[in-house]
Amino acid sequence: MPPNSVSVVILNFFSILHLEDSLADHELVDHILGRSGWHFKLFHVDTLESFEMALRGGGIDLVLADYHLAGFSGLDAWEWMQTQAIDLPFVLVSGAIGEAVVADAMVRGVSDYVDKNRLSRLPMVVQRALEHHRIKCERAQTALELAASKQRLAELTEHLQSSIDRERADIAREIHDDIGGSLAAIRLDLAWLGRRATDDDTRAHLASAQDMVAHALGASQRIMRNLRPAVLDQGLIAAMEWLVQTFADRTGIRAQLRHAGDMPHLTREVEMVAYRTAQEALTNVAKHAGATEVRLELSDLEGFLTLEVSDNGQGASPEALANANAFGLLGLRERAQTVGGWLDVVNPGPGQGMTLILSVPLAHSSNEELAKGEEA
């Protein structure tokens, strides 16, 4: 294992593998490194076979290698390490090999080069190579931990979103079964009373009450559709057409939906993501854009489900876009990630409108459906 830090390198024992076919040069390297005061073990090998065997055995922290060797070169040894995914600091310690060879070695990923005529530099180069390798390993570990953290966050987001959708469906059913049923019954009773009322004042109050009940029924139905868009049972295109039409009727903003025809089979999750993205985008247009027209385009080209929502409004400032929560963009991005998709924002500038683009790979949707089928 590579040492954790330079100070650990100096204080603790570590191992170096030296690929060198000159015993005298090996002993000189051992002597130079020994003067550093480090606690280390220098293993000597002089053939590619013994080199490979030593590395397969493990326990090596750094490799020193001559360039000119019998029948092969130090770079051959380095290339073998790459094929075996052995990630260790690798320093060429050789006679003059030319700037072009040194440059090529560095491009291939070799840590450093030390001329045998300047071996006094070797301890510094070894220390630097170990330190750079430590930093690289820490960064790689950090990247892995960050990726794992993002994966856990994505899974949590998906779980929370699924929970929210289930709760919305439950609330919608309760509104339909309890509140909707009760309001419908009240409406029938009011109508019955209205047919039997004799004075105008009573009829007027009953008519007003019926209007209020009708308004409450309409509101409860609208809330149910927002909580659980049952129109999705008719397909994504039908749901989007209904959403666009009701938006235009409610806001007076011209709204148009374009689509290429029937969509491929999509999972319920993907359809919900597309529908909620369009719903939130239209809400943002109504609240913030100051637009008179909005266009939605739904397509399934090149293996992606793509939804574009464009308006001719005032656009958004960079500060407003940076504050993603202000426009609900963060929630839309997280929702898109739950189905393997992503959200892009095109904001040409003030007064030039804005476009939201949702992209979801259709392969992800197909794989999800296949997995669910196998589980069933």
Side-chain angles (χ1 to χ4, degrees):
M1 295 177 59
N4 292 327
S5 68
V6 175
S7 60
V8 173
V9 168
I10 294 173
L11 295 176
N12 291 343
F13 180 86
F14 65 103
S15 300
I16 301 174
L17 182 63
H18 188 198
L19 178 58
E20 172 63 68
D21 56 4
S22 168
L23 183 58
D25 287 347
H26 167 69
E27 292 175 348
L28 181 58
V29 166
D30 191 13
H31 175 70
I32 293 294
L33 292 177
R35 292 189 308 184
S36 66
W38 298 343
H39 300 282
F40 68 95
K41 176 66 175 179
L42 187 66
F43 296 95
H44 179 219
V45 292
D46 57 5
T47 65
L48 191 55
E49 292 75 12
S50 59
F51 174 79
E52 294 174 1
M53 184 179 299
L55 285 182
R56 286 195 179 104
I60 301 299
D61 300 304
L62 178 136
V63 174
L64 302 177
D66 193 1
Y67 181 79
H68 299 289
L69 296 157
F72 66 101
S73 73
L75 286 184
D76 293 328
W78 167 251
E79 292 299 334
W80 177 84
M81 288 176 58
Q82 303 314 294
T83 63
Q84 302 299 310
I86 298 175
D87 184 20
L88 291 174
F90 189 98
V91 178
L92 285 173
V93 182
S94 184
I97 57 177
E99 293 182 359
V101 175
V102 173
D104 178 58
M106 296 303 175
V107 169
R108 296 192 194 188
V110 169
S111 303
D112 213 329
Y113 161 72
V114 176
D115 192 319
K116 286 184 177 180
N117 294 320
R118 301 181 61 191
L119 282 180
S120 60
R121 296 181 59 248
L122 185 58
M124 176 194 69
V125 170
V126 166
Q127 180 171 313
R128 184 170 60 197
L130 287 169
E131 174 67 4
H132 286 179
H133 185 68
R134 178 190 67 81
I135 293 173
K136 184 178 74 170
C137 290
E138 287 183 352
R139 288 176 177 172
Q141 182 62 32
T142 300
L144 287 175
E145 292 173 357
L146 180 59
S149 176
K150 287 183 177 180
Q151 179 63 29
R152 290 193 297 271
L153 179 59
E155 292 171 355
L156 175 61
T157 299
E158 183 175 4
H159 172 72
L160 292 175
Q161 193 60 61
S162 298
S163 299
I164 290 171
D165 288 337
R166 285 195 299 270
E167 289 177 3
R168 284 176 168 175
D170 291 342
I171 295 172
R173 279 192 294 270
E174 289 184 14
I175 291 175
H176 178 271
D177 296 341
D178 296 338
I179 299 177
S182 298
L183 288 173
I186 293 172
R187 191 176 186 182
L188 290 173
D189 288 341
L190 290 174
W192 185 87
L193 291 172
R195 292 193 297 269
R196 286 160 177 74
T198 56
D199 63 284
D200 294 338
D201 190 49
T202 300
R203 287 178 178 273
H205 279 82
L206 287 172
S208 176
Q210 284 184 307
D211 290 341
M212 293 179 65
V213 170
H215 175 77
L217 276 170
S220 65
Q221 291 170 356
R222 184 174 65 255
I223 293 170
M224 283 188 295
R225 285 192 295 265
N226 287 334
L227 287 171
R228 182 184 180 275
V231 69
L232 273 175
D233 295 336
Q234 303 175 32
L236 181 59
I237 291 178
M240 297 289 283
E241 288 175 341
W242 174 85
L243 180 65
V244 168
Q245 185 59 52
T246 55
F247 170 81
D249 294 342
R250 187 177 75 255
T251 64
I253 299 174
R254 293 192 302 274
Q256 179 182 12
L257 172 66
R258 294 181 181 178
H259 57 84
D262 293 337
M263 289 285 105
H265 180 68
L266 303 172
T267 65
R268 178 72 177 181
E269 290 77 14
V270 171
E271 288 185 335
M272 184 67 78
V273 166
Y275 181 87
R276 291 299 189 193
T277 299
Q279 186 180 45
E280 180 68 20
L282 290 175
T283 299
N284 289 338
V285 169
K287 288 183 177 180
H288 308 291
T292 60
E293 182 178 354
V294 60
R295 299 174 303 281
L296 291 83
E297 185 167 346
L298 194 63
S299 65
D300 62 332
L301 301 177
E302 299 181 356
F304 287 88
L305 174 69
T306 303
L307 170 66
E308 295 189 19
V309 184
S310 305
D311 66 73
N312 65 347
Q314 62 190 6
S317 66
E319 293 77 13
L321 284 179
N323 183 13
N325 286 321
F327 286 83
L329 295 180
L330 181 59
L332 291 179
R333 287 192 171 101
E334 291 179 348
R335 184 184 280 272
Q337 290 173 3
T338 63
V339 290
W342 60 91
L343 189 77
D344 295 313
V345 180
V346 180
N347 185 47
Q352 300 184 53
M354 191 165 70
T355 300
L356 294 183
I357 305 173
L358 169 70
S359 302
V360 179
L362 293 175
H364 185 276
S365 178
S366 301
N367 291 339
E368 276 192 345
E369 193 68 21
L370 179 61
K372 289 181 179 178
E374 291 175 350
E375 290 176 359

